[in-house]
Amino acid sequence: MKVFAIGDTHLSGTPPKKPMDIFGPHWANHWEKIKQAWQKSVTNDDIVFIVGDISWALRLPEALEDLQSIQALPGMKYMIRGNHDYWWSSTSKMTAATNHEITFLQGHATGIGHIAFGGTRGYLCPGDSAFDINRDQHIYERELLRTEAALQEMDRYLATLSGTDASFASKKGIKILLLHYPPFNDTISSSGFTELMDTYHVDHCIFGHLHDSASFNRIPSHYHNTQLHLVSADFLNFTLKEIL
């Protein structure tokens, strides 16, 4: 089993109702590029994380064509919400609409084997050039609560596994935190998210959201003991990143 990730697929049906090449020629036919890379790399035994900004749709019925396009690809698929995923609905409705073939995580976590994973959208962090304390502080604090809830579920999953799997004592549980926004501001300063990563000993943090070369160049490989993975589709040149 391998673990892959991608974010910011920004789908809008076939043919696309919102062609992404308005953001640059490199986005031309971007979904076809992603699908080809996905089909070459991923098997049905693998995990794929899609970390938000999945579809431009405004409502779940409108997003189904995009979700079904993802659903048809190989792998076990797990999604979190991005800031543009206005179609996002209740977990029960989304799960039923995709025939239980996609798992939607929002402040929750689960695991497979010795790998625990989960997360939420995240948000802008204080000190970011775009952060407005009156508008953003309460959303930031809410997302911290959701993130910690997911991390606590990861710990419970691994604790349960260690009590039932005799071989687990010889393995190290791996924790993967999924966010849409990066876990820090645009100066890479500490935040509530990075403090949670330290407190809960997160091994990998996967996120997207960023689409400019300045951001691509400023993201470090690690934050303290956590390996960072920026997986915006355009940053990955419309492929998937192999995490494990």
Side-chain angles (χ1 to χ4, degrees):
M1 180 185 72
K2 295 180 179 179
V3 177
F4 297 89
I6 190 169
D8 305 88
T9 52
H10 287 293
L11 304 180
S12 59
T14 305
K17 301 176 185 66
K18 185 171 182 176
M20 287 295 291
D21 57 6
I22 62 170
F23 297 106
H26 59 297
W27 280 95
N29 299 314
H30 78 287
W31 181 229
E32 289 303 317
K33 298 174 189 174
I34 293 170
K35 285 195 295 184
Q36 289 176 16
W38 191 316
Q39 290 165 334
K40 287 180 181 178
S41 303
V42 180
T43 72
N44 283 329
D45 294 326
D46 298 330
I47 294 171
V48 181
F49 299 127
I50 305 101
V51 294
D53 281 6
I54 298 153
S55 171
W56 286 111
L58 298 178
R59 296 174 180 82
L60 180 57
E62 299 166 5
L64 282 181
E65 181 181 356
D66 297 330
L67 295 174
Q68 288 166 354
S69 184
I70 294 171
Q71 189 177 326
L73 293 168
M76 297 174 279
K77 305 159 195 81
Y78 296 85
M79 292 183 175
I80 61 169
R81 186 177 188 175
N83 59 303
H84 289 299
D85 288 320
Y86 299 111
W87 55 270
W88 194 274
S89 183
S90 69
T91 300
S92 60
K93 288 182 179 178
M94 294 186 295
T95 301
T98 55
N99 297 317
H100 298 258
E101 294 182 21
I102 297 175
T103 302
F104 300 89
L105 299 169
Q106 175 86 333
H108 290 286
T110 186
I112 296 178
H114 66 292
I115 304 172
F117 50 87
T120 187
R121 183 184 68 173
Y123 200 62
L124 290 171
C125 294
D128 193 276
S129 57
F131 190 89
D132 182 297
I133 191 167
N134 295 317
R135 179 192 64 201
D136 297 323
Q137 184 69 29
H138 72 287
I139 305 174
Y140 166 75
E141 292 174 355
R142 180 195 68 199
E143 291 299 309
L144 287 177
L145 291 173
R146 288 177 171 168
T147 301
E148 184 160 29
L151 290 166
Q152 289 171 344
E153 286 190 14
M154 289 186 219
D155 278 353
R156 288 195 292 271
Y157 169 81
L158 292 173
T160 301
L161 183 64
S162 64
T164 58
D165 183 350
S167 67
F168 185 77
S170 64
K171 298 178 182 178
K172 179 182 182 297
I174 296 174
K175 296 181 192 176
I176 301 176
L177 176 61
L178 309 175
L179 299 171
H180 176 65
Y181 287 85
F184 32 59
N185 62 25
D186 49 10
T187 61
I188 323 295
S189 302
S190 61
S191 71
F193 296 107
T194 60
E195 290 171 7
L196 288 171
M197 284 159 44
D198 288 344
T199 299
Y200 287 88
H201 307 290
V202 171
D203 297 288
H204 300 269
C205 180
I206 303 172
F207 55 92
H209 184 67
L210 303 175
H211 297 290
D212 61 283
S213 58
S215 294
F216 293 168
N217 292 328
R218 68 178 164 81
I219 299 299
S221 64
H222 289 75
Y223 193 96
H224 296 171
N225 294 318
T226 302
Q227 187 172 350
L228 303 176
H229 303 273
L230 173 60
V231 296
S232 305
D234 49 335
F235 176 69
L236 298 180
N237 196 27
F238 309 104
T239 63
L240 285 75
K241 181 172 185 179
E242 184 174 339
I243 308 298
L244 296 171

